[in-house]
Amino acid sequence: VKQDHGELSSAAGVNDQSSGYSSFSALWYSQVGVSMTITMVLDMVSPHFPVLFSSYIMRPILRACATRPKCRRRCSYGRKIGATQESVDRLHSGITFVLPLRLATVLNTTSISFVYSAGMPGLIPLAAISFLVSFQLDKSNLLRNYKRPPEYTTRLVRNIAALLRWS
């Protein structure tokens, strides 16, 4: 008996002659499913890594290099940084918060977890953990590490809410 799973199954690498998977088999779960789960776990921390690295590793080193006289003599960056008030302000100001990038990550996590949750129900708790981690890290980074974000209109969030209804 041949079953046709439609476009969704061909998009998932199932029923595709080139992929070698005839259905959602154990081989599919061990290769594609594990890869998707690892990608979702990495997607949980990857948007936050550059901010955390910059805020907690690079900025303290650069501040120390700019403020300590011993470091300023050795480091060419330290000699340049303290030259003007603008350069000192830039050193102590935060990183720009990019809301569209964060919303794209949320849409990606939601879409992937909902599309594959019928075959891999473990993606739903993983998505919930991802949203919780993102919320906590974004909240702490907005309070401590980011510059004051620009005032966005509600149009962007309304568009995202409309897209979430379709996922």
Side-chain angles (χ1 to χ4, degrees):
V1 176
K2 183 179 178 183
Q3 294 180 354
D4 185 22
H5 297 287
E7 292 181 17
L8 178 62
S9 61
S10 64
V14 179
N15 271 347
D16 189 7
Q17 298 298 332
S18 64
S19 68
Y21 305 112
S22 61
S23 67
F24 290 104
S25 63
L27 182 64
W28 186 90
Y29 285 108
S30 68
Q31 293 178 351
V32 178
V34 169
S35 298
M36 251 190 294
T37 305
I38 290 171
T39 302
M40 284 200 52
V41 168
L42 289 175
D43 195 34
M44 191 182 311
V45 293
S46 64
H48 305 288
F49 182 73
V51 175
L52 295 174
F53 179 76
S54 174
S55 299
Y56 294 109
I57 296 173
M58 287 303 296
R59 292 230 179 231
I61 291 172
L62 294 177
R63 283 185 194 134
C65 187
T67 57
R68 293 186 183 148
K70 197 181 253 187
C71 293
R72 289 183 87 174
R73 283 187 296 242
R74 292 184 194 158
C75 176
S76 63
Y77 185 77
R79 281 178 268 175
K80 289 187 240 174
I81 198 83
T84 63
Q85 182 64 41
E86 181 183 345
S87 63
V88 173
D89 288 345
R90 202 176 27 216
L91 178 65
H92 291 282
S93 67
I95 303 162
T96 305
F97 181 72
V98 184
L99 181 64
L101 179 66
R102 298 298 306 129
L103 290 175
T105 305
V106 168
L107 276 177
N108 181 35
T109 302
T110 305
S111 301
I112 294 297
S113 61
F114 283 171
V115 166
Y116 293 106
S117 66
M120 295 176 14
L123 291 180
I124 297 292
L126 191 64
I129 292 168
S130 174
F131 295 142
L132 181 68
V133 167
S134 290
F135 173 74
Q136 292 297 329
L137 286 174
D138 281 341
K139 182 174 76 170
S140 69
N141 284 332
L142 275 169
L143 292 173
R144 296 183 183 149
N145 301 324
Y146 286 121
K147 292 179 188 175
R148 184 172 182 193
E151 293 185 24
Y152 291 103
T153 62
T154 59
R155 188 174 137 215
L156 181 64
V157 177
R158 288 177 194 247
N159 289 342
I160 296 299
L163 285 173
L164 280 174
R165 289 185 193 132
W166 289 100
S167 64

